[in-house]
Amino acid sequence: MKRVIPFLMSMMLLAGCGVSGSGKSYQKISMEKAMEVMETEKNYIILDVRTEEEYAQAHIPGAICVPNETIRATEIPELPQKDQLILVYCRSGNRSKQAAQKLAKLGYTNVMEFGGILDWPGETVSENS
């Protein structure tokens, strides 16, 4: 029994690395991993899924705003390449998960969700600065 518990715990951890629904999935990553990706990768989009007002107050430099509420079962003009790396965040992590699930269902294949700007240790900019 003592050997089974660590095995089950590690299986649960591994299952949480990729989140799926209906065969489509996205990857949940840490803030640290998101920062590492932004430093090492070149062709990616930082996607802020908060409202336009929230985005204007403060956002990660280079992020584009496509509010979660506007992501539906149609094409998204701001995201034309379905295989491009998309790093998704919101305020606290709830809307980014919802948006990542929607993007995966729409056929986006390289989606990474990293939570909320409330926990972002890096720089932010505002529309007023």
Side-chain angles (χ1 to χ4, degrees):
M1 184 66 172
K2 289 182 181 180
R3 292 182 185 171
V4 172
I5 292 173
F7 174 75
L8 290 175
M9 293 299 288
S10 53
M11 293 306 291
M12 288 172 59
L13 286 172
L14 287 174
C17 292
V19 183
S20 65
S22 306
K24 310 282 183 174
S25 66
Y26 67 93
Q27 188 176 5
K28 168 72 177 149
I29 61 172
S30 68
M31 290 279 169
E32 293 77 21
K33 178 66 176 174
M35 291 182 92
E36 179 185 317
V37 169
M38 291 175 198
E39 290 173 6
T40 59
E41 296 294 324
K42 290 189 172 132
N43 189 23
Y44 62 87
I45 291 176
I46 304 170
L47 182 63
D48 186 323
V49 296
R50 299 173 300 152
T51 65
E52 298 273 347
E53 294 79 21
E54 290 173 298
Y55 176 84
Q57 290 175 358
H59 58 272
I60 296 171
I64 63 168
C65 182
V66 177
N68 178 44
E69 296 76 22
T70 67
I71 301 173
R72 295 190 170 71
T74 59
E75 294 298 315
I76 303 167
E78 298 88 347
L79 307 173
Q81 297 177 327
K82 297 228 176 173
D83 61 344
Q84 185 172 22
L85 175 57
I86 303 172
L87 301 164
V88 185
Y89 76 95
C90 64
R91 185 182 71 83
S92 65
N94 186 42
R95 287 177 282 179
S96 59
K97 288 176 190 160
Q98 294 172 4
Q101 289 170 344
K102 291 178 190 179
L103 292 172
K105 285 181 183 177
L106 287 171
Y108 291 88
T109 59
N110 202 3
V111 178
M112 294 183 174
E113 185 269 322
F114 65 96
I117 197 168
L118 291 177
D119 298 321
W120 181 247
E123 176 187 0
T124 61
V125 295
S126 71
E127 297 294 305
N128 301 329
S129 51

